Amino acid sequence: MTATVSGHRGLDLEEPLLFELDTPGVSGIDEPEPEPGPTRLGGLEREGPIGLPGLSEPAVVRHYTRLSRRNYSIDAGMYPLGSCTMKYNPRLNERMARLPGFADLHPLQPEKTVQGALAVMAELGRWLCALTGLPAVALSPAAGAQGELCGLRAIRAALRERGELDTRRVVLVAESAHGTNPATAAACGFKVEAVPADARGRMDRAAFRARVGADVAAVMLTNPNTCGLFESDAPELARALHDAGGFVYMDGANLNALVGRVRAVDLGADAMHINLHKTFSTPHGGGGPGAGPTVLSAALAPFAPLPVLWQEEAGWRLIETMDGARARGLSPFGRLSGFHGQFGVFVRALAYLLAMGRDGLRQASGDAVLNANYILAGLSDVLSASYPGPCMHEALFDDRFLKDTGITTLDFAKAMIDEGFHPMTMYFPLVVHGALLIEPTETESRATLDQFIAVMRDLALRARAGDQAAFKAAPRLAPRRRLDETQAARHPVLRWAPPPSSGASSDESSFRTAPLSSNP
Ligand SMILES: *Cc1c(COP(=O)(O)O)cnc(C)c1O
C-alpha cells in the first residue's frame, strides 16, 4: 500500500487533534469585545492567552463527525465480545428515556412531583424480583461491580447481626470468576479463596464441599459461568453452604442466558446483581452509564442500602435517612451513591421488559443460547473448543489450534479487524490458555453468524497453513495499525503540549499525534 500525499486513505481522513487544526484568529462565533469595567477577580486575571484553538464551525463539526465514524458500535456491525453481552438495544427504549417527563427530572425535586418516576422504579423492581424469585431489590448500584459490593455488604451486615462477622472471614470465589468478584470480597474485608473448576469447567463439587465450614461467609458463583457453561450443581452447592450457615452470592451478569427460564432463587441465590446494561437494553460502550440492581433474599432485604423505595398511603417515598429506615424496621448497611441510581437506565430497562413480555424474554434467552451453540458447532472442527457443548450464551475456545504456528490469539484478533469483524473477548477467562470468548447474543441474524463463521474458518485455516507474516502485519486496513498498548497503559500522555518552536529541542513528554503517513 502506498502512502498518499494528504495522509488520507480513500475517504477515510486522517484526524489531527483540534489543537493541531488551530488557525489563530478563526472563530465560529462573533462576540462584541466586552466593555471595559471594574474587575471582580481580585488580581487573579489571566495574563497570557487562553490557548484554545481557532476553528470555524464546519471544521469542528467535521472533526467530531469523522471521529464518531471511527467509533465501532453495535449499530455498525456484530460485536462478539464474550462476557459483555453487546446486543442491539431497540431505539424505542432510547425514546422512552428521552421523554421530557423522565429526562428533565431533578433528583432533588419534591417527592410529590416525581410519583410517576418512583412508580417506574417500583415497577422495574417488581419485574426484577419476579424474574429472579427474590423478594427485594436495591436499585441504586451503578454497575455490576457495585451490585456485588451491595450484595456482600448486605451479607456482612447480616453476619454482624448474627454475631458471626469475626468468625466467618472467608469468601469462596470460582477460579474462573470475573476479576470484580475477588476484588469486591477483598474490599469488604473478607479473605478470598479460589475454588477450582473440574474437568467439565464447572465448580469442583468435592473441593467446594471440603472447604465449606463455619469460617465461610459466602460463595460468589457466576451462572452461567464465564466459560459460558451452566453451573448445573448450583442448587446442591448452595444447599451445602446454607446448611453450614453461609450465603450464596450469584453473579448475574450472564442473566441474558437464563432470563425467563431459570430463577436465581431456584439456584439457591441469596443475592444477585443484574447488569441492566447487559441483559435489559442499555448501550454500554465507552464505560457507561450502566446499572447493577441487586436482588436480595428476605434475610438480606432489611440491610439494603439507602435510599429505600417505600410505599405509603400518601404515595411512593424514598427513605433517605438511617432514622427513617429504622423507624420502618430496616437496618441499611449505608449508602452507595448520592441519589437513587441511574434513572435513565431504569426507564430503558422497563421499556424493554414491557415490550418483550415474559414470553419475549424467554425467547431472547433461548435464541442467545441457540446462536452461541451455532457458533460453537460451526467452529469446533477448526478452532479448539475448551469444553464440549452445549454451551450457554457464549462459546469458549483456546489457542491450542494455533500451536506451532507462531500466531497468537492477539494476532488472530487483529486479522479479524481487516475482515470487518470486531474481535471477540481475548485472554479471558484466565482458566484456559489464550482464550477466545465469543458471544453473538440473540440479536444477530443467521446470515451474520454464517459470515462470521466463514471468516473465522478462513482465518483458522490460513493460520494453520503457516501464513504467520500476514497475521503479524494485521490489521493492514485499520486507520491505525498496532499500537504500543503497554506504553499507552504505563505512560499515558493525557495532556497536549504545543510542538516546540523551531530550534527548541524536542520535549519527550509532550504529546504529538502519529505522523500523517503512519499507514505505509
Ligand atoms: C460485566 C461483568 C461484571 C461487572 O459488571 P460491570 O457492570 O462491568 O461492573 C461482573 N461479573 C461478570 C461475570 C461480568 O461479565
Side-chain angles (χ1 to χ4, degrees):
M1 267 162 289
T2 53
T4 55
V5 175
S6 57
H8 305 325
R9 286 164 50 83
L11 291 178
D12 190 5
L13 305 197
E14 260 302 332
E15 198 54 40
L17 300 177
L18 280 180
F19 289 91
E20 293 165 320
L21 294 170
D22 176 27
T23 312
V26 170
S27 173
I29 52 167
D30 187 8
E31 292 265 5
E33 278 294 313
E35 300 276 332
T39 169
R40 286 179 291 166
L41 294 175
L44 296 173
E45 295 87 347
R46 175 183 296 282
E47 285 169 359
I50 192 166
L52 293 177
L55 293 150
S56 70
E57 185 171 324
V60 175
V61 169
R62 286 177 179 166
H63 173 75
Y64 285 109
T65 303
R66 289 195 294 255
L67 283 185
S68 75
R69 297 199 314 196
R70 296 262 161 102
N71 223 355
Y72 188 80
S73 71
I74 196 76
D75 291 341
M78 182 179 172
Y79 221 128
L81 283 180
S83 192
C84 294
T85 310
M86 299 293 283
K87 62 187 190 182
Y88 169 70
N89 296 297
R91 288 293 186 282
L92 173 67
N93 308 333
E94 293 299 312
R95 271 191 61 191
M96 295 303 110
R98 283 165 173 70
L99 288 175
F102 292 139
D104 297 345
L105 294 181
H106 192 281
L108 293 176
Q109 262 176 253
E111 270 168 353
K112 66 177 189 328
T113 68
V114 292
Q115 285 297 308
L118 296 179
V120 162
M121 290 168 62
E123 183 62 6
L124 172 64
R126 202 178 67 79
W127 272 86
L128 299 181
C129 289
L131 289 169
T132 57
L134 286 164
V137 61
L139 290 172
S140 68
Q146 206 178 25
E148 293 173 29
L149 188 65
C150 177
L152 282 212
R153 289 287 302 272
I155 288 171
R156 222 174 84 129
L159 290 174
R160 174 174 288 137
E161 195 180 69
R162 272 203 227 151
E164 294 183 6
L165 190 54
D166 293 334
T167 47
R168 294 193 183 268
R169 302 301 314 144
V170 175
V171 167
L172 303 176
V173 176
E175 176 185 70
S176 60
H178 194 274
T180 49
N181 288 192
T184 300
C188 289
F190 292 108
K191 191 167 159 290
V192 178
E193 281 185 31
V195 184
D198 60 18
R200 304 167 312 141
R202 273 81 172 180
M203 184 172 272
D204 188 310
R205 266 162 35 216
F208 180 80
R209 284 182 165 282
R211 191 54 198 83
V212 160
D215 62 337
V216 174
V219 66
M220 297 183 85
L221 187 62
T222 309
N223 207 353
N225 67 25
T226 63
C227 299
L229 302 170
F230 187 59
E231 294 277 3
S232 41
D233 301 325
E236 181 195 325
L237 302 180
R239 224 171 296 124
L241 184 57
H242 285 151
D243 288 348
F247 289 96
V248 175
Y249 186 87
M250 187 167 142
D251 181 329
N254 296 334
L255 187 60
N256 207 44
L258 302 183
V259 63
R261 291 171 185 271
V262 183
R263 298 184 313 161
V265 70
D266 299 322
L267 297 173
D270 299 296
M272 180 179 88
H273 73 263
I274 298 167
N275 302 57
L276 297 184
H277 47 291
K278 291 180 183 172
T279 311
F280 296 128
S281 182
T282 276
H284 66 292
T294 303
V295 286
L296 300 166
S297 67
L300 296 177
F303 305 104
L306 297 171
V308 180
L309 189 57
W310 195 260
Q311 190 167 30
E312 290 177 357
E313 208 138 302
W316 289 103
R317 308 251 350 245
L318 282 172
I319 309 302
E320 297 276 2
T321 64
M322 285 298 212
D323 286 346
R326 284 196 203 100
R328 291 165 179 86
L330 306 172
S331 16
F333 65 72
R335 171 185 278 282
L336 287 171
S337 54
F339 296 112
H340 47 266
Q342 305 276 26
F343 184 71
V345 178
F346 299 159
V347 176
R348 289 177 178 87
L350 184 60
Y352 178 78
L353 288 164
L354 293 174
M356 296 290 278
R358 194 195 154 104
D359 58 330
L361 294 171
R362 193 181 152 79
Q363 186 179 342
S365 56
D367 289 350
V369 171
L370 180 64
N371 278 359
N373 278 287
Y374 190 70
I375 284 185
L376 184 66
L379 294 177
S380 281
D381 59 328
V382 288
L383 304 190
S384 26
S386 300
Y387 300 100
C391 61
M392 294 292 281
H393 61 305
E394 54 195 356
L396 177 63
F397 302 90
D398 52 52
D399 63 2
R400 281 171 297 154
F401 77 104
L402 294 171
K403 189 169 184 294
D404 300 329
T405 61
I407 295 164
T408 65
T409 298
L410 181 74
D411 301 328
F412 194 88
K414 297 294 185 195
M416 289 170 70
I417 294 174
D418 281 337
E419 295 289 345
F421 280 104
H422 190 286
M424 66 276 128
T425 291
M426 301 178 287
Y427 301 104
F428 178 83
L430 304 173
V431 287
V432 302
H433 197 269
L436 300 85
L437 183 62
I438 302 169
E439 178 177 358
T441 80
E442 71 279 10
T443 51
E444 293 304 337
S445 67
R446 178 158 172 201
T448 305
L449 297 184
D450 282 338
Q451 197 190 27
F452 177 77
I453 288 170
V455 161
M456 296 292 276
R457 292 188 68 85
D458 180 65
L459 289 176
L461 296 178
R462 270 155 54 192
R464 298 289 315 158
D467 200 357
Q468 188 189 355
F471 279 85
K472 293 290 175 197
R476 293 169 300 115
L477 304 176
R480 288 286 180 274
R481 310 277 306 266
R482 297 227 188 170
L483 307 179
D484 187 341
E485 288 162 19
T486 312
Q487 180 81 0
R490 295 277 157 80
H491 302 288
V493 181
L494 304 174
R495 220 173 156 162
W496 181 82
S501 49
S502 56
S505 68
S506 91
D507 175 0
E508 287 287 308
S509 67
S510 76
F511 175 85
R512 230 145 298 121
T513 49
L516 287 182
S517 54
S518 70
N519 265 308

